[in-house]
Amino acid sequence: MTPIFPGSVDAAGQRATLGVVGGGQLGRMFVHAAQRLGYSTAVLEPDAQSPAGLVSHHHIQTGYDDPAGLAQLAHLCQAITTEFENVPAQALQTLALTRPVAPSAAVVGIAQNRIEEKAHFAACADVSGVTCAPYAVLETPAQLQAVLAERADLLPGILKTARMGYDGKGQVRVKTAAQLAAAWAELGGVACVLEKMLPLTAECSVLVARGWDGQVVSFAPQRNVHVGGILAVTHAYAGNMPAALAARAREAAVAIAQHLGYVGVLCVEFFVVDDGSAHGGLVVNEMAPRPHNSGHYTIDACDASQFDLQVHAMAGLPLPQPRQHSPAIMLNLLGDVWFDADGQPQEPDWYAVLSLPGTHLHLYGKLDARAGRKMGHLTVTGPDIAGIKTVARRAAELLSLPGLDAI
Ligand code: ATP
Ligand code: MG
């Protein structure tokens, strides 16, 4: 891969341009990072008012698999990435015929399908040292019958659709065989996995960036708290989890990325389970082939963010090991914040929040706030952990955020 230099201009007078398929908030923060370095950007997104499309030099407003739109993206850009998991892998394949695409259609395809994803985790368990939760594949009525008859060990469990799940969508918790059968029918009998419900003591994730040349860097694990299946709080500071466990998670995530031959930013999510050992056991949950909500704190707390590394990796630039300069807590801001206790629309009290020291507000430019919709996030940084906890708690109170007891 020949590096694509930021700010360079070709013979036709066109500035080096990086492209992204998808126009959500991850694309927006990618665009910000690319533009800061001096690249032009192009976003392929059907929505006229998307978070990334609103801030990009070019917005190609077509479907993700529209041949003309893809051709235009390839024409404009020297390299292309994606910002959401459910991008049609075929679209990335088409783009890769003429342009460097990172991550590749093949690895995005694996991460899009829980069945393939778990098979990958199993295939590299020897090098990663972690396995996933016990599970069974449910693709046919015969497999359902077999699981009902033979896999009582997986109950209580969570039935998850193999494809298109996010933020806890496409998941049903089941306690009994009858509930399992009903839940599979309710999901339309599509390909699923039934996962055993594990006693989680914590959750964490690790961000890895890997270049075309195999160079790899990673961030320390962040500890994540979910409320209602959606990330609510991320704790990113030394001591957020036992050091031995953090080291294992980081090594496992790097091994998983290496084994995939991954290029770009990969986020690997882990469960910490009570297995009777001193620090608990580590179980790999899933991976996202892109920057991740749990890594947003890196923008304000590190000398290179997950989006900076996404830009560097795809453009063939060096990947220096990022350094976290401040402890951080990230609070997700869902659409609920724009409604009062009676469900009436309200403007959040940003004046009060922004008067707290070390608060960094990121709103994604979405016009309509809806319950559960990711509208933005607030990162709190400061010189010490006790101080950021105090500020984060106060901000969470002011905004009536969930997960207050987890700060
Ligand atoms: P996202 O895309 O937001 O990461 P998702 O929809 O892909 O979420 P998962 O990560 O599989 O879903 O699950 C969402 C949350 O549900 C997990 O973070 C965890 O809190 C809980 N959960 C999922 N699987 C299990 C399990 N086997 N045992 C216990 N809790 C689980
Ligand atoms: Mg998840």
Side-chain angles (χ1 to χ4, degrees):
M1 170 81 188
T2 317
I4 302 159
F5 288 113
S8 59
V9 179
D10 68 13
Q14 167 152 337
R15 192 177 303 281
T17 303
L18 300 180
V20 56
V21 181
Q25 61 267 21
L26 298 170
R28 179 183 179 95
M29 291 180 267
F30 162 77
V31 163
H32 286 154
Q35 291 181 345
R36 200 173 58 162
L37 260 177
Y39 292 105
S40 288
T41 59
V43 170
L44 180 82
E45 164 64 45
D47 184 354
Q49 295 290 326
S50 68
L54 286 173
V55 296
S56 180
H57 293 90
H58 305 277
H59 175 197
I60 301 164
Q61 201 188 332
T62 69
Y64 306 121
D65 50 8
D66 182 85
L70 291 169
Q72 200 186 342
L73 188 67
H75 173 73
L76 277 173
C77 302
Q78 279 72 63
I80 295 157
T81 188
T82 167
E83 63 103 40
F84 77 118
E85 228 147 310
N86 294 324
V87 55
Q90 181 58 49
L92 299 183
Q93 219 149 16
T94 304
L95 293 166
L97 294 175
T98 54
R99 290 289 181 246
V101 174
S104 70
V107 294
V108 170
I110 294 172
Q112 278 175 344
N113 186 322
R114 288 187 195 275
I115 299 171
E116 288 181 39
E117 182 177 53
K118 287 179 188 300
H120 171 73
F121 291 147
C124 63
D126 282 352
V127 276
S128 73
V130 290
T131 52
C132 45
Y135 74 101
V137 171
L138 282 179
E139 290 180 295
T140 64
Q143 280 172 323
L144 175 68
Q145 290 312 318
V147 168
L148 291 174
E150 295 155 25
R151 297 301 306 270
D153 65 300
L154 295 178
L155 296 173
I158 308 187
L159 185 66
K160 302 181 178 181
T161 57
R163 304 179 66 87
M164 300 303 240
Y166 69 99
D167 290 346
K169 294 187 174 67
Q171 299 195 6
V172 188
R173 296 183 177 211
V174 291
K175 288 196 177 124
T176 64
Q179 283 177 2
L180 170 60
W184 194 55
E186 197 184 305
L187 290 172
V190 297
C192 285
V193 295
L194 173 65
E195 230 176 85
K196 184 179 175 65
M197 179 74 95
L198 299 176
L200 310 188
T201 55
E203 295 187 63
C204 69
S205 53
V206 177
L207 291 152
V208 178
R210 188 171 177 278
W212 296 98
D213 58 358
Q215 196 201 344
V216 65
V217 295
S218 60
F219 291 92
Q222 50 274 353
R223 185 163 63 80
N224 302 321
V225 180
H226 293 78
V227 176
I230 306 179
L231 182 64
V233 184
T234 292
H235 296 262
Y237 42 78
N240 62 351
M241 52 190 289
L245 209 56
R248 270 192 68 203
R250 199 164 176 176
E251 282 161 22
V254 168
I256 287 167
Q258 305 267 38
H259 198 264
L260 279 169
Y262 194 87
V263 179
V265 171
L266 178 75
C267 181
V268 184
E269 294 179 43
F270 297 92
F271 296 144
V272 182
V273 294
D274 183 3
D275 64 352
S277 67
H279 299 313
L282 201 62
V283 169
V284 59
N285 172 25
E286 59 173 358
M287 58 185 174
R290 48 170 175 77
H292 193 259
N293 193 169
S294 63
H296 291 352
Y297 76 90
T298 60
I299 297 174
D300 300 301
C302 299
D303 62 1
S305 75
Q306 59 172 350
F307 302 101
D308 293 328
L309 296 186
Q310 181 183 23
V311 171
H312 278 233
M314 74 188 285
L317 297 179
L319 283 177
Q321 171 60 48
R323 184 181 66 85
Q324 184 168 353
H325 51 70
S326 303
I329 294 176
M330 187 225 52
L331 307 173
N332 251 355
L333 303 174
L334 304 182
D336 310 64
V337 172
W338 279 258
F339 296 93
D340 67 15
D342 302 323
Q344 294 305 310
Q346 65 172 4
E347 194 58 30
D349 188 354
W350 300 130
Y351 197 91
V353 170
L354 292 173
S355 59
L356 299 169
T359 51
H360 309 270
L361 178 64
H362 299 253
L363 295 180
Y364 307 145
K366 298 181 184 178
L367 287 178
D368 45 320
R370 289 193 300 270
R373 187 175 197 208
K374 289 176 180 169
M375 301 296 289
H377 68 271
L378 184 79
T379 302
V380 180
T381 60
D384 62 85
I385 298 166
I388 60 167
K389 284 188 178 176
T390 303
V391 170
R393 264 190 223 111
R394 182 70 194 123
E397 270 166 19
L398 284 167
L399 296 168
S400 305
L401 299 181
L404 193 59
D405 49 351
I407 300 171

